[in-house]
Amino acid sequence: MQDNATEVTAAGIARLAGVGRAAVSNWRRRHPDFPKPIGGTETSPSFALAEVEAWLREQGKLAEVPLRERVWQQLTGHPEGPAVALAHVGCVLLLVQERPTVWLDIDAGSDERLAAKLPGVLDGVIAARFGCKPVNASGPVDASGSVNTSGSVNTATPVHTPTGPQLLPSAPLLRSAVELAGELGARQTFEFLLGRYLDAHSRQYTPTPAELAGLMADLAGPALTVLDPACGTGALLRAVEARPDQTLYAQDSAPDLVALTALRLALHTRAAVRGAVGDTLRAEAYPELRADAVLCHPPFNERNWGHDELAYDARWEYGFPARNESELAWVQHALARLADGGTAVLLMPPAAASRRSGRRIRADLLRRGALRAVLALPVGAAPPYNLPLHLWVLRRPDRTPVAPEVLLVDTGAFAGEARGGPDWQAVRDAALDTWRAFARDGRLAERPGLARSVPVIELLDDDVDLAPARHLPPPAAADGVEQLAAVRDGLAATLRLTTGLTPPPAVPAPPARWPLTTIGELARGGALLLRTGALPGTPGGTATAAHARVPVLTDHDVLAGSPPSGTLPESDEEAVLTEPGDVVVPVLGGGSVARVVDAATAGAALGRNLVLLRPDAAALDAWFLAGFLRGTANNRQASSYASTATRLDVRRLQLPRLPLDEQRRYGARFRALDEFEQALRQAGRLGEQLLRGMYDGLTDGTVEPH
């Protein structure tokens, strides 16, 4: 066994075989020939992937392993770590996309031949796509795994060519990744692996949701040169509308992200890609750049951003930011890199609009016409999800406005329920409609409760507070009263419906002694199909949903009985799409919940922490299945418990073996209970809405207290 063999953990073995971790522990105890650990710890050992695959194959347990899962296990078990392995894969996928016949030639032969020939052909691809002289195995963290520890900025190339010895351990992974690209496409394969990698390391990165990235790119408008000085995983640059002769510039202080972002962009677009590793505020990579657009999701609340070293930096045209105003340093950096008339869009914490320490800079941004709009987003739009973040739209002044006004927009009314996230379509429509009208005319007719263009002079007081909610008029009183009347009528009708759906008195019966089966047994026997959501972090998938605006059914939607509220993540991974009659079960939280998919929900993608059961209608009634899965005792015996969470093993849930006619009799009863439950939920929602509206109307004077 090679010392640098790809390793896999017990959890990885469980995913390969489609079983729980307990089964892997049982195999280790019961089978003397089970592979021995080669690494890890006593409590969390790791095994050689090749030995594990061979053993599983001999035992007949590897027959249906998805190719994507095998590739993921090879990547996570790479001896140099998943980031280096992913960069190697990205380089080869770029080669396959750009020069597929070259790969076919070098793929024929041994791993040693492949590793020896790859660096030479990768050099040419890297030079062509990134507009630079390739560097072999040097510079910042890149495809070679080398690290630049000097602290300086390296802009020669965002991606470096790995050497033959560095590529040799990756050869089996590269062949598998290219095979997967034959099924999904090169770009989709990299997006799948990158999405899984980011999901597995979610605490290390702050994501920019795809819907938010698209909104920011649309606010900036079409551009030939676009800069993201805190590029992270490249979500903002990836959202930019493609144009001929376009150039995308990226910089980030996290060295493991720059190469991955550059490869992601190169696989996604034909634009020229430039990238650099370095601290943007302390050592910017593009001091001479004048971009058409700057998009930025800067780090928030940083005190160590360079305040002491950068006191006399030329970028502080609007004032030297205080130590606790790092976001205003990023704002001025963005303005400094814009061409005259260029647009910058930054995601900002709400405190940046009102902190007293930043009022002088905000005032100067207003006086000189640089700050054009502040848009308040709903809670849950981006991390930290408990804050209503802001978007600042800035323009590099090419002339002084005659009657300067600033657009203030508050989309907070479009917040979704709990983890469901905001109504992105409503947020997008409101933000773009108001911004485009304001940008065209220089002012906007007042839209109560939503938007207003405010004269700059009105904001230049002692606080220079730019929080939109503090400057917008409330919604029209008449509309509010009419809406309350409609809510009250809806509540009355729903309560009447609920009364009619109330179950009849229960008829006692002796405890049943049915013969039982499990979901796992039914799945193995073909009576139902079991799938998990194929979003980041989960294998599987049955239908392609790339490039489509497909709604996602989240675990919160299932628990709340609400319509699909999620959106597909940045990765273009294949998604599991729901069909009428599917039964969806949440696996976290310890609740006894199952939902039958109806025509209105069908076609939504399955979200994380959900399991989909697709029964064979000739063997199982969907409502019978969903009803018995909700039994409290059934859920208790199928659940496992950690210190902070409960997880449901759906395969262990039990069903009685009943004839189909008897199933349908129970199914009709369960369906009636579901209708009663939906009516109760609707009554609760309308009741809360009526209460809140009455409190608001009485306190703002739009409702009489009689």
Side-chain angles (χ1 to χ4, degrees), residues 430-444:
L432 292 178
D433 181 48
T434 54
W435 165 247
R436 287 168 178 167
F438 174 77
R440 181 182 63 248
D441 303 329
R443 58 180 295 112
L444 181 78

Side-chain angles (χ1 to χ4, degrees), residues 28-183:
R28 292 184 64 194
R29 288 193 300 268
R30 293 167 51 194
H31 296 277
D33 61 339
F34 191 87
K36 303 301 181 187
I38 64 169
T41 64
E42 184 175 346
T43 57
S44 181
S46 59
F47 307 82
L49 178 60
E51 291 183 357
V52 168
E53 286 184 326
W55 188 87
L56 291 173
R57 192 173 291 109
E58 290 173 2
Q59 299 291 324
K61 303 179 187 299
L62 196 64
E64 298 182 3
V65 178
L67 174 59
R68 62 177 61 205
E69 186 61 34
R70 177 152 47 91
V71 174
W72 173 246
Q73 292 301 329
Q74 289 176 317
L75 188 143
T76 56
H78 193 280
E80 296 300 323
V84 171
L86 188 53
H88 289 183
V89 169
C91 287
V92 169
L93 292 176
L94 188 60
L95 170 65
V96 169
Q97 180 171 283
E98 300 285 318
R99 305 176 185 177
T101 57
V102 174
W103 167 260
L104 293 175
D105 175 61
I106 63 174
D107 182 40
S110 66
D111 289 353
E112 289 75 10
R113 178 179 182 272
L114 177 67
K117 285 185 168 291
L118 258 181
V121 296
L122 289 179
D123 274 352
V125 173
I126 289 171
R129 286 301 279 118
F130 301 109
C132 54
K133 181 180 179 181
V135 181
N136 194 280
S138 62
V141 166
D142 48 48
S144 71
S146 302
V147 181
N148 174 2
T149 58
S150 66
S152 61
V153 175
N154 187 315
T155 59
T157 173
V159 179
H160 298 272
T161 307
T163 64
Q166 291 166 338
L167 282 169
L168 184 57
S170 300
L173 165 64
L174 300 179
R175 295 184 195 275
S176 298
V178 172
E179 183 183 354
L180 183 60
E183 296 181 5

